[in-house]
């Protein structure tokens, strides 16, 4: 069983699904304000034995939302660079210690890799931050969000899906 999320690509498309990006097809059977509500509607259709391969959730009115999570300073930038470099250096040091001569201590290659990684992380973080020249002194996360989520269904099952979702909407608020 392959589990996927709303924006994950799990490699090859499922049989019968297009390989290239294509506009969705089907008749609208429901419209929801949040992805969670649209997902709940599709789960309701699945639990009522509707052929869910005919169903598509479409995000409409897409927005890129950037949420500011903090202010950047030289200390934070260099600290983050040192930590990420340390991880890379530790990995390289561990690989070097695996290939060191038998009977020798694994500590020297690990320490050299760790030190080189920290130095590399500091240098790359400092260069990257200095190139912004104070134009972006904050850190943020980005997320793609839709204004609404439409549930589409292929015509052969659209009427059944619409009826099931109408009954579902009477029990749970949230449908538009």
């Amino acid at each position: 069983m392959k589990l996927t999320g709303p924006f994950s690509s799990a490699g090859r498309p499922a049989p019968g699904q297009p390989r290239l990006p294509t506009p969705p097809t089907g008749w609208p059977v429901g419209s929801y304000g949040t992805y969670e509500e649209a997902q709940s509607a599709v789960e309701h259709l699945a639990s009522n034995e509707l052929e869910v391969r005919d169903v598509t959730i479409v995000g409409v009115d897409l927005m890129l939302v950037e949420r500011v999570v903090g202010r950047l300073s030289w200390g934070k930038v260099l600290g983050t660079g040192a930590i990420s470099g340390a991880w890379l250096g530790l990995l390289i040091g561990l690989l070097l210690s695996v290939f060191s001569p038998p009977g020798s201590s694994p500590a020297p290659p690990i320490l050299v890799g760790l030190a080189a990684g920290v130095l590399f992380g500091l240098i790359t973080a400092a260069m990257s931050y200095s190139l912004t020249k104070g134009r972006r002194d904050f850190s943020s996360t980005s997320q793609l969000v839709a204004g609404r989520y439409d549930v589409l269904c292929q015509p052969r099952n659209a009427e059944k899906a619409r009826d099931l979702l109408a009954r579902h909407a009477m029990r749970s608020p949230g449908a538009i």
Side-chain angles (χ1 to χ4, degrees):
M1 171 185 245
K2 189 184 294 187
L3 299 177
T4 61
F7 303 110
S8 67
S9 62
R12 288 182 274 150
Q17 297 296 318
R19 287 184 145 317
L20 298 173
T22 57
T25 60
W27 294 353
V29 294
S31 190
Y32 303 90
T34 66
Y35 180 78
E36 183 179 30
E37 292 166 344
Q39 187 178 12
S40 172
V42 174
E43 288 172 2
H44 178 72
L45 294 174
S47 66
N48 283 282
E49 299 182 12
L50 183 98
E51 181 60 50
V52 290
R53 293 187 70 156
D54 287 349
V55 177
T56 305
I57 298 174
V58 180
V60 180
D61 298 329
L62 296 180
M63 300 171 270
L64 179 65
V65 178
E66 182 177 14
R67 292 187 171 86
V68 177
V69 294
R71 183 165 174 73
L72 285 180
S73 65
W74 274 105
K76 285 183 183 178
V77 168
L78 294 177
T80 302
I83 290 171
S84 65
W87 280 111
L88 178 64
L90 182 62
L91 176 66
I92 292 170
L94 287 171
L95 287 173
L96 289 174
S97 71
V98 168
F99 296 108
S100 61
S104 65
S105 172
I110 292 173
L111 292 175
V112 167
L114 193 60
V118 168
L119 184 63
F120 178 76
L122 286 170
I123 291 170
T124 55
M127 286 175 51
S128 173
Y129 187 61
S130 67
L131 290 175
T132 66
K133 295 184 171 119
R135 286 186 309 252
R136 189 170 169 96
D137 282 343
F138 62 90
S139 60
S140 63
T141 61
S142 295
Q143 186 179 35
L144 193 60
V145 182
R148 75 173 194 272
Y149 297 87
D150 291 343
V151 176
L152 307 181
C153 186
Q154 293 303 312
R156 64 180 163 261
N157 285 319
E159 188 175 332
K160 180 180 178 185
R162 196 174 288 126
D163 291 343
L164 286 168
L165 291 178
R167 281 186 251 135
H168 180 62
M170 287 189 252
R171 289 188 300 240
S172 61
I176 295 175

